[in-house]
Amino acid sequence: LPKTKVIALSAHFQKSFVKNMFDAGACGYLLKDSLYSELVPALKKIWGNELYISQSVVKKYCNLP
């Protein structure tokens, strides 16, 4: 089903895992320890044809507090 949108749920935050998942066609990437409150914004972005990456992954690689 080519129109199906997939959010990866993973315990891995390494860049290679995130990149490989998006290369495989995922629209979002959430870590298993993400808060439930992060799920709704992720779904909204994906439904709006945007990509979503877990905030903890973004903070780690963008050196944010």
Side-chain angles (χ1 to χ4, degrees):
L1 300 171
K3 292 186 179 183
T4 301
K5 297 185 182 211
V6 174
I7 297 177
L9 182 63
S10 178
H12 303 285
F13 58 85
Q14 294 85 353
K15 287 181 185 180
S16 61
F17 282 90
V18 178
K19 181 185 180 313
N20 288 341
M21 198 58 70
F22 282 109
D23 287 347
C27 296
Y29 194 91
L30 283 173
L31 294 178
K32 288 184 177 181
D33 64 354
S34 296
L35 298 176
Y36 177 76
S37 60
E38 190 172 7
L39 181 60
V40 173
L43 291 172
K44 286 181 178 180
K45 281 210 171 221
I46 290 167
W47 285 331
N49 293 317
E50 296 180 54
L51 298 178
Y52 187 85
I53 300 176
S54 183
Q55 292 303 303
S56 52
V57 173
V58 171
K59 286 178 183 178
K60 177 173 178 53
Y61 291 111
C62 294
N63 297 318
L64 298 173

